[in-house]
Amino acid sequence: MGLCLWYNSNGYWNDAPQTPKNRMNTAIARKKEMAWMQSIGIKGIKVDFFGGDKQQTLQLYEDILADANDFGLTVIFHGCTLPRGWERMYPNFVGSEAVLASENLIFTQDANDNEAFNATLHPFIRNAVGAMDFGPVLLNKRHNRENNGGTVRKTTETFQLATAVLFQTPVQNFGITPNNLLEMPAHVIDFMKQVPTVWDETLFVDGYPGKYVVLARRKKEQWYIAAVNAEGKEKTIEVALPMLSQNLVHCISDNKSRRSEQKTISLSHEKTVRLTLQSGAGVVLYGK
């Protein structure tokens, strides 16, 4: 297990009050801080609150990446611009937010009301550009510290699990809280423990932006297929999975009470399966 630390990108252009500040904006302060992190075994940083796409700011991104690489630190950017090929330039670049990420589910009810719709856009648009630090899988029904107030999640737990496959970044920062470890069914937590974050192959299976999406990703010999439905009614689709060599696959889906359940299902001889997706719900299949 490795630890990453969060930093404000800071500087005179940034009035965000969150600390630590004035540690990433100049070379002297940055290298001193990174040397300290390296000495205590910190593995990476998440740097937040960047202001615009002006040349000075874009140079700051690359300065942070270059210095962090010298000290063996991975980097995630948050509150930032779209990635610009940095994954090919800096081996320590992990990903960028550059999207209205999961924190907005806590801030506004509108984000929750449109969560399923937005989730069917990201695989086609934002995440097609580069790794997306969204912070998926929010399992609390109410988005406050005690899970008893604040905004209300409209999607199912299985939908949330599906976003762990739909949304790709090499380091996933899941949006779970400690109470989830005791309150959720065992198969939910077990899935989150073993779902990969780095993939060898990705295939588009079916979908339409804003309506539904079915995406398949492979890690070594194991395939993960995630499907979510953003339409306002139940949807049944026939999905072809010719990439699977076995007929039996694990399936996480929602029952009629919109509770997540796990079972094993059989594919047809033609390697197809019929999926029924409730509105704001999902299905996850995994097998070889």
Side-chain angles (χ1 to χ4, degrees):
M1 179 180 294
L3 295 177
C4 294
L5 300 182
W6 181 95
Y7 282 86
N8 191 328
S9 67
N10 50 65
Y12 62 86
W13 60 86
N14 185 331
D15 59 1
Q18 288 82 358
T19 57
K21 299 184 68 172
N22 299 310
R23 308 288 177 86
M24 291 290 130
N25 59 312
T26 65
I28 293 175
R30 187 167 54 242
K31 292 178 181 180
K32 179 180 179 181
E33 189 77 4
M34 290 177 175
W36 167 75
M37 284 188 274
Q38 185 184 51
S39 71
I40 64 172
I42 298 299
K43 300 301 182 184
I45 53 176
K46 177 180 284 194
V47 188
D48 204 344
F49 298 128
F50 289 89
D53 283 10
K54 54 186 177 290
Q55 288 185 350
Q56 180 183 10
T57 305
L58 291 175
Q59 185 61 57
L60 177 61
Y61 286 112
E62 295 203 37
D63 289 344
I64 291 172
L65 285 166
D67 289 342
N69 193 45
D70 289 341
F71 290 97
L73 299 170
T74 61
V75 178
I76 300 172
F77 291 128
H78 203 68
C80 59
T81 189
L82 278 171
R84 286 165 161 75
W86 290 322
E87 68 274 11
R88 294 184 176 272
M89 299 166 63
Y90 299 96
N92 59 326
F93 172 72
V94 173
S96 300
E97 181 190 22
V99 69
L100 290 175
S102 61
E103 60 197 36
N104 288 276
L105 299 171
I106 300 170
F107 299 154
T108 71
Q109 186 58 45
D110 181 70
N112 289 271
D113 297 341
N114 291 287
E115 181 185 10
F117 173 79
N118 291 327
T120 62
L121 297 181
H122 297 326
F124 294 99
I125 304 173
R126 166 61 184 89
N127 215 178
V129 175
M132 180 179 72
D133 182 43
F134 185 88
V137 191
L138 276 72
L139 296 176
N140 277 355
K141 269 296 187 182
R142 302 295 298 270
H143 294 315
N144 70 344
R145 188 181 298 272
E146 291 79 25
N147 193 21
N148 60 7
T151 56
V152 181
R153 172 166 57 85
K154 296 297 186 65
T155 57
T156 67
E157 283 80 27
T158 304
F159 178 101
Q160 293 295 322
L161 292 183
T163 61
V165 178
L166 285 179
F167 302 160
Q168 187 276 326
T169 191
V171 175
Q172 284 279 29
N173 291 275
F174 290 132
I176 65 171
T177 55
N179 56 289
N180 299 149
L181 301 177
L182 299 176
E183 296 170 356
M184 287 294 116
H187 73 268
V188 170
I189 304 302
D190 289 342
F191 177 83
M192 295 180 66
K193 289 179 180 179
Q194 54 90 22
V195 63
T197 60
V198 179
W199 305 95
D200 297 319
E201 185 177 1
T202 297
L203 295 176
F204 170 71
V205 178
D206 196 4
Y208 191 90
K211 294 185 176 181
Y212 72 104
V213 62
V214 185
L215 202 67
R217 299 190 192 273
R218 178 179 60 84
K219 177 66 173 181
K220 297 182 179 179
E221 296 181 351
Q222 187 88 348
W223 282 95
Y224 291 78
I225 300 94
V228 297
N229 176 23
E231 297 189 66
K233 58 183 179 181
E234 186 175 277
K235 187 178 192 66
T236 300
I237 54 177
E238 192 84 14
V239 176
L241 302 172
M243 75 288 290
L244 297 180
S245 60
Q246 300 176 355
N247 288 325
L248 293 178
V249 295
H250 300 287
C251 175
I252 302 176
S253 60
D254 300 301
N255 60 26
K256 293 182 179 180
S257 300
R258 295 176 68 85
R259 297 281 187 177
S260 181
E261 59 183 18
Q262 185 176 37
K263 56 189 175 183
T264 301
I265 63 174
S266 298
L267 304 180
S268 71
H269 181 71
E270 293 79 17
K271 290 291 192 299
T272 63
V273 62
R274 184 179 294 269
L275 300 178
T276 298
L277 302 170
Q278 299 176 53
S279 177
V283 171
V284 178
L285 306 174
Y286 57 101
K288 298 180 180 179

